[in-house]
Amino acid sequence: MAAVISNLSPVSLPSQLSNLRRCFFKPCARPRLFDKRIFAVKIRASSTAFVDTKPPTEPIVVENEVSSSKSILACPICYESLTLIGDHVLSVESAAGSTLLCNTCKKSFYGNQTHYDLTVASGTKDYGVRMPISTEFFRFPLISFLYERGWRQSFSIWGGFPGPEKEFELMRDFLKPALDGNIVDASCGSGLFSRLFVQSGLFSLVIALDYSENMLQQCYEFIKQEETFPKENLILVRADISRLPFVSSSVDAVHAGAALPCWPSPSTAVAEISRVLRPGGVFVATTYIFDGPFAFIPFLRRKRQIIAAMSGSHFFLSERELQDLCTACGLVGFTSIRNGNFVMISASKPI
């Protein structure tokens, strides 16, 4: 059932949780649940995309062996665990010069100055992959630069988006099953929510994932600007949303902020998300719904299909359509929160 946001007022981000166990490949403590609260928030246009939160005081220990039973990163070809070569640990600071080896395919994946490239075509010299316009658009350096310098803030004006801080607060209840676990910020862009996830201290590992090298570069630059940013529990990964480089049933939560319309095939992407989520793992996404004339006039519905085929962009006409998408991909417990064109959805993998 959809819940309509009304009478919203500002709320603060969650305070830092103390004594969270921060392990990458070791069993994690049972998640601590928040006290139940009633959020009364007033939505208003957000002019800033940055949130000051206190970073965790304890570093997260990431073990060298990535191919253990608690592995997350996997080969995008065969989905088998990757082994980290050398004495490095997986973190945003150690990506440069790192090598991840697939013991099944015998293919190596390399890290550069900012991120690990875990696309299927990683390392090719002559072969190149061209994605639909809606994906390639965000690979331009100018778009990456502008994303948190006005672009994302405009969503509040025309799309009803509450703004990053309030979106984070609204999704917190949905993410309770994943507290103290790992979270993948899919199509993270310049890392706006990836940084919020890290700074909140709610997760043992945050993986910022995007197909755009320039978006990941922008995310890295924002991180460098914050001297006290806890880099130990964040890694940046370049990957295709339709070939997620994670072991099946290894991820506690996946977040996708305003990303669904840009995915070449939302059904393929959500099916991949369903594959990598552990039983009980949660998928949280935000997008916008055009349920005006497009939803009722057959001619305009067909027009939408033509636009999607040409640009790779997908416009959703109702919450039922989003629910149908999640159900078709094996997710259950669909829930949505609505404000104007803005909608936040959540669904989980069956236990």
Side-chain angles (χ1 to χ4, degrees), residues 245-315:
F246 305 113
V247 174
S248 298
S249 302
S250 65
V251 176
D252 296 306
V254 175
H255 167 261
L260 280 166
C262 302
W263 291 346
S265 172
S267 59
T268 301
V270 177
E272 269 292 271
I273 290 169
S274 180
R275 178 186 67 81
V276 303
L277 283 175
R278 64 163 173 80
V282 63
F283 171 50
V284 179
T286 58
T287 187
Y288 42 85
I289 293 179
F290 293 102
D291 53 358
F294 274 97
F296 301 105
I297 303 176
F299 171 77
L300 293 180
R301 291 181 68 92
R302 289 194 296 271
K303 200 79 170 179
R304 177 190 70 151
Q305 296 173 349
I306 296 173
I307 294 173
M310 294 178 60
S311 67
S313 298
H314 295 263
F315 302 105

Side-chain angles (χ1 to χ4, degrees), residues 305-339:
Q305 296 173 349
I306 296 173
I307 294 173
M310 294 178 60
S311 67
S313 298
H314 295 263
F315 302 105
F316 296 94
L317 303 183
S318 70
E319 292 155 78
R320 291 191 304 274
E321 187 178 6
L322 290 166
Q323 181 175 6
D324 203 24
L325 170 64
C326 291
T327 302
C329 295
L331 301 178
V332 298
F334 180 88
T335 306
S336 64
I337 298 175
R338 186 78 185 270
N339 179 70

Side-chain angles (χ1 to χ4, degrees), residues 39-209:
F39 295 112
V41 217
K42 179 175 182 180
I43 290 190
R44 58 188 180 186
S46 175
S47 60
T48 177
F50 301 95
V51 181
D52 292 328
T53 57
K54 295 181 180 180
T57 57
E58 301 176 22
I60 290 170
V61 178
V62 185
E63 297 185 359
N64 290 349
E65 183 55 48
V66 187
S67 58
S68 69
S69 60
K70 295 296 181 181
S71 169
I72 291 182
L73 293 182
C75 172
I77 300 170
C78 67
Y79 295 138
E80 294 296 325
S81 300
L82 294 174
T83 301
L84 179 62
I85 306 300
D87 297 327
H88 297 285
V89 294
L90 284 173
S91 73
V92 69
E93 290 185 302
S94 64
S98 295
T99 301
L100 292 161
L101 174 65
C102 175
N103 291 315
T104 302
C105 297
K106 306 304 180 184
K107 178 172 179 175
S108 296
F109 299 87
Y110 302 98
N112 58 28
Q113 185 63 37
T114 60
H115 62 271
Y116 299 92
D117 191 340
L118 298 183
T119 57
V120 171
S122 171
T124 58
K125 296 180 180 179
D126 299 321
Y127 175 76
V129 179
R130 297 296 297 176
M131 300 293 277
I133 296 174
S134 59
T135 300
E136 292 292 334
F137 180 73
F138 291 97
R139 298 180 70 185
F140 287 104
L142 179 61
I143 303 303
S144 303
F145 177 81
L146 293 175
Y147 190 75
E148 288 189 43
R149 296 176 173 89
W151 185 296
R152 185 53 166 80
Q153 291 89 329
S154 70
F155 292 7
S156 301
I157 301 172
W158 62 264
F161 278 62
E165 302 94 334
K166 297 178 183 63
E167 290 171 49
F168 183 92
E169 195 66 40
L170 289 169
M171 75 176 75
R172 194 171 65 176
D173 262 357
F174 293 142
L175 293 174
K176 280 183 179 180
L179 297 184
D180 207 20
N182 59 63
I183 185 170
V184 174
D185 189 14
S187 298
C188 66
S190 54
L192 173 58
F193 284 96
S194 302
R195 302 196 307 275
L196 289 177
F197 292 146
V198 172
Q199 291 173 309
S200 71
L202 298 178
F203 305 97
S204 61
L205 177 71
V206 177
I207 300 177
L209 181 146

